[in-house]
Amino acid sequence: MVKGHHRTTIVDVARHAGVSIKTVSRVLNGQPHVTEDIIRRVKEAAAAVNYHPNMLARALVQRRSHLIGLVYENPSPSYVVDLQKGVLERLRDEHYRLVVIPIASISAHEADVVGLLRSAALDGVVLAPPASDSERIMADLTAASIRFARIAPTRLIEAGPSNLIDDVTAAREIAAHVIGLGHRDIAIITGDPTHASADARMQGFAAAFAAAGITIAPERIATGFYTYESGHAAATTLLARADRPTAILAQNDDMAVGALIAALEAGLTVPGDVSITGFDDSEVARIAWPAITTVRQPVFDMAVAAADMVVAQLKDTPPILCRSHRHELIIRQSTGVAKR
């Protein structure tokens, strides 16, 4: 007869560590007033006996799922990876697990998002753009008693714990850099119009143009959707014009790389014939050639901080309500002096 497999329990951990079951429970649940030596002994004992907590049992006892969600729409792979890495980094030593919840269109499914989160029995959620700007989603989360924190909101900052950069200032700085290189025939590829960041970055561009006395014709503004494909299509049209621009400002790096490929396909050199900029400093901007001049948005750090805000609320600790993160203009090989 085959014997059933014995599941290791905290009784085994306590016996191996030479402490009480209650002490093991306090250590594993991260409760205070336990010495560092006891914590070390319990963790070493847990590793020695191959103990893994039963998350379902813990959830039933504590009436919590120990699940934290990450809601996002942005299709940029690099951006999404940085979001996930940041949240996971903060949860590394916590008793919480990450549930990734991509939404194809927040604007189309705004009324259904919180119902989805409730069905997943989440204790808390990190909201990435554009969910982080949705008044409806934040109101529904509050009504459902689901704790949340936001990444990169551009409006209603006081509506919930937020992590943000100054998109307007960042966009103004990168536009001013291009203008400073002598460019006046400048085109813009905007981001998804349902994302508030697209409007904020456009405000920054407009401020730089106004300061330099430059007027941008409407036909030099193309709408993208923060994807490589939309950037490529927009740039192909812009560069086919008889009065083609000498510079293109794309509102994220994926669109900038799309514009880069469109320029090369048109037989143009970058930055010799056309300078191109992005936004975010995602991996694709660093590995493209020429590498993309962009604005570094610390997505990883913002995700870490947002997860920390959620965990603080779940531990009944008042979270920091607003944390500003520093952006940085990164000048690379995709921008150069205008030749005309």
PDB file of all heavy atoms in Angstrom, residues 245-260:
ATOM      1  N   PRO A 245       8.604  66.571 -42.276  1.00  0.00           N
ATOM      2  CA  PRO A 245       9.245  67.166 -41.094  1.00  0.00           C
ATOM      3  C   PRO A 245      10.709  66.746 -40.974  1.00  0.00           C
ATOM      4  O   PRO A 245      11.117  65.705 -41.496  1.00  0.00           O
ATOM      5  CB  PRO A 245       8.423  66.597 -39.933  1.00  0.00           C
ATOM      6  CG  PRO A 245       7.918  65.283 -40.449  1.00  0.00           C
ATOM      7  CD  PRO A 245       7.637  65.519 -41.912  1.00  0.00           C
ATOM      8  N   THR A 246      11.478  67.563 -40.264  1.00  0.00           N
ATOM      9  CA  THR A 246      12.868  67.199 -39.967  1.00  0.00           C
ATOM     10  C   THR A 246      12.979  66.540 -38.597  1.00  0.00           C
ATOM     11  O   THR A 246      14.054  66.059 -38.234  1.00  0.00           O
ATOM     12  CB  THR A 246      13.784  68.435 -39.993  1.00  0.00           C
ATOM     13  OG1 THR A 246      13.402  69.334 -38.935  1.00  0.00           O
ATOM     14  CG2 THR A 246      13.691  69.142 -41.339  1.00  0.00           C
ATOM     15  N   ALA A 247      11.883  66.533 -37.858  1.00  0.00           N
ATOM     16  CA  ALA A 247      11.887  65.890 -36.538  1.00  0.00           C
ATOM     17  C   ALA A 247      10.488  65.369 -36.230  1.00  0.00           C
ATOM     18  O   ALA A 247       9.487  65.971 -36.640  1.00  0.00           O
ATOM     19  CB  ALA A 247      12.339  66.863 -35.452  1.00  0.00           C
ATOM     20  N   ILE A 248      10.433  64.248 -35.532  1.00  0.00           N
ATOM     21  CA  ILE A 248       9.161  63.669 -35.093  1.00  0.00           C
ATOM     22  C   ILE A 248       9.240  63.432 -33.592  1.00  0.00           C
ATOM     23  O   ILE A 248      10.157  62.768 -33.095  1.00  0.00           O
ATOM     24  CB  ILE A 248       8.867  62.335 -35.812  1.00  0.00           C
ATOM     25  CG1 ILE A 248       8.646  62.567 -37.307  1.00  0.00           C
ATOM     26  CG2 ILE A 248       7.640  61.655 -35.197  1.00  0.00           C
ATOM     27  CD1 ILE A 248       8.436  61.272 -38.094  1.00  0.00           C
ATOM     28  N   LEU A 249       8.273  63.982 -32.879  1.00  0.00           N
ATOM     29  CA  LEU A 249       8.141  63.742 -31.445  1.00  0.00           C
ATOM     30  C   LEU A 249       7.058  62.695 -31.238  1.00  0.00           C
ATOM     31  O   LEU A 249       5.879  62.957 -31.482  1.00  0.00           O
ATOM     32  CB  LEU A 249       7.757  65.031 -30.711  1.00  0.00           C
ATOM     33  CG  LEU A 249       8.636  66.274 -30.919  1.00  0.00           C
ATOM     34  CD1 LEU A 249       8.071  67.438 -30.131  1.00  0.00           C
ATOM     35  CD2 LEU A 249      10.066  65.983 -30.488  1.00  0.00           C
ATOM     36  N   ALA A 250       7.436  61.494 -30.830  1.00  0.00           N
ATOM     37  CA  ALA A 250       6.463  60.439 -30.533  1.00  0.00           C
ATOM     38  C   ALA A 250       6.250  60.387 -29.027  1.00  0.00           C
ATOM     39  O   ALA A 250       7.204  60.538 -28.253  1.00  0.00           O
ATOM     40  CB  ALA A 250       6.968  59.091 -31.054  1.00  0.00           C
ATOM     41  N   GLN A 251       5.027  60.145 -28.614  1.00  0.00           N
ATOM     42  CA  GLN A 251       4.715  60.221 -27.190  1.00  0.00           C
ATOM     43  C   GLN A 251       5.032  58.956 -26.402  1.00  0.00           C
ATOM     44  O   GLN A 251       4.774  58.906 -25.203  1.00  0.00           O
ATOM     45  CB  GLN A 251       3.248  60.629 -26.986  1.00  0.00           C
ATOM     46  CG  GLN A 251       3.007  62.085 -27.349  1.00  0.00           C
ATOM     47  CD  GLN A 251       1.654  62.579 -26.875  1.00  0.00           C
ATOM     48  OE1 GLN A 251       0.788  61.814 -26.462  1.00  0.00           O
ATOM     49  NE2 GLN A 251       1.461  63.883 -26.950  1.00  0.00           N
ATOM     50  N   ASN A 252       5.570  57.925 -27.050  1.00  0.00           N
ATOM     51  CA  ASN A 252       6.186  56.835 -26.298  1.00  0.00           C
ATOM     52  C   ASN A 252       7.223  56.153 -27.180  1.00  0.00           C
ATOM     53  O   ASN A 252       7.351  56.436 -28.380  1.00  0.00           O
ATOM     54  CB  ASN A 252       5.154  55.853 -25.722  1.00  0.00           C
ATOM     55  CG  ASN A 252       4.715  54.784 -26.701  1.00  0.00           C
ATOM     56  OD1 ASN A 252       4.781  54.957 -27.909  1.00  0.00           O
ATOM     57  ND2 ASN A 252       4.239  53.661 -26.177  1.00  0.00           N
ATOM     58  N   ASP A 253       8.000  55.263 -26.586  1.00  0.00           N
ATOM     59  CA  ASP A 253       9.131  54.663 -27.296  1.00  0.00           C
ATOM     60  C   ASP A 253       8.711  53.683 -28.376  1.00  0.00           C
ATOM     61  O   ASP A 253       9.359  53.586 -29.427  1.00  0.00           O
ATOM     62  CB  ASP A 253      10.051  53.954 -26.294  1.00  0.00           C
ATOM     63  CG  ASP A 253      10.702  54.921 -25.325  1.00  0.00           C
ATOM     64  OD1 ASP A 253      10.918  56.088 -25.705  1.00  0.00           O
ATOM     65  OD2 ASP A 253      10.991  54.511 -24.183  1.00  0.00           O
ATOM     66  N   ASP A 254       7.635  52.927 -28.149  1.00  0.00           N
ATOM     67  CA  ASP A 254       7.192  51.979 -29.172  1.00  0.00           C
ATOM     68  C   ASP A 254       6.829  52.704 -30.464  1.00  0.00           C
ATOM     69  O   ASP A 254       7.180  52.260 -31.565  1.00  0.00           O
ATOM     70  CB  ASP A 254       5.997  51.164 -28.660  1.00  0.00           C
ATOM     71  CG  ASP A 254       6.397  50.144 -27.616  1.00  0.00           C
ATOM     72  OD1 ASP A 254       6.859  50.562 -26.537  1.00  0.00           O
ATOM     73  OD2 ASP A 254       6.268  48.938 -27.868  1.00  0.00           O
ATOM     74  N   MET A 255       6.130  53.825 -30.343  1.00  0.00           N
ATOM     75  CA  MET A 255       5.775  54.601 -31.531  1.00  0.00           C
ATOM     76  C   MET A 255       7.021  55.219 -32.151  1.00  0.00           C
ATOM     77  O   MET A 255       7.108  55.343 -33.382  1.00  0.00           O
ATOM     78  CB  MET A 255       4.744  55.667 -31.173  1.00  0.00           C
ATOM     79  CG  MET A 255       3.392  55.095 -30.751  1.00  0.00           C
ATOM     80  SD  MET A 255       2.077  56.343 -30.667  1.00  0.00           S
ATOM     81  CE  MET A 255       2.737  57.498 -29.462  1.00  0.00           C
ATOM     82  N   ALA A 256       7.980  55.617 -31.314  1.00  0.00           N
ATOM     83  CA  ALA A 256       9.217  56.193 -31.836  1.00  0.00           C
ATOM     84  C   ALA A 256       9.978  55.175 -32.686  1.00  0.00           C
ATOM     85  O   ALA A 256      10.511  55.510 -33.748  1.00  0.00           O
ATOM     86  CB  ALA A 256      10.088  56.689 -30.693  1.00  0.00           C
ATOM     87  N   VAL A 257      10.026  53.924 -32.234  1.00  0.00           N
ATOM     88  CA  VAL A 257      10.702  52.889 -33.017  1.00  0.00           C
ATOM     89  C   VAL A 257       9.934  52.622 -34.306  1.00  0.00           C
ATOM     90  O   VAL A 257      10.533  52.395 -35.370  1.00  0.00           O
ATOM     91  CB  VAL A 257      10.875  51.601 -32.186  1.00  0.00           C
ATOM     92  CG1 VAL A 257      11.425  50.467 -33.047  1.00  0.00           C
ATOM     93  CG2 VAL A 257      11.810  51.855 -31.013  1.00  0.00           C
ATOM     94  N   GLY A 258       8.621  52.667 -34.237  1.00  0.00           N
ATOM     95  CA  GLY A 258       7.825  52.540 -35.459  1.00  0.00           C
ATOM     96  C   GLY A 258       8.171  53.643 -36.445  1.00  0.00           C
ATOM     97  O   GLY A 258       8.300  53.409 -37.656  1.00  0.00           O
ATOM     98  N   ALA A 259       8.350  54.874 -35.937  1.00  0.00           N
ATOM     99  CA  ALA A 259       8.724  56.002 -36.790  1.00  0.00           C
ATOM    100  C   ALA A 259      10.130  55.809 -37.351  1.00  0.00           C
ATOM    101  O   ALA A 259      10.398  56.148 -38.513  1.00  0.00           O
ATOM    102  CB  ALA A 259       8.641  57.301 -36.001  1.00  0.00           C
ATOM    103  N   LEU A 260      11.020  55.267 -36.534  1.00  0.00           N
ATOM    104  CA  LEU A 260      12.391  55.005 -36.984  1.00  0.00           C
ATOM    105  C   LEU A 260      12.403  54.047 -38.179  1.00  0.00           C
ATOM    106  O   LEU A 260      13.066  54.301 -39.195  1.00  0.00           O
ATOM    107  CB  LEU A 260      13.196  54.421 -35.824  1.00  0.00           C
ATOM    108  CG  LEU A 260      14.580  53.857 -36.130  1.00  0.00           C
ATOM    109  CD1 LEU A 260      15.507  54.947 -36.635  1.00  0.00           C
ATOM    110  CD2 LEU A 260      15.165  53.185 -34.891  1.00  0.00           C
TER     111      LEU A 260
END
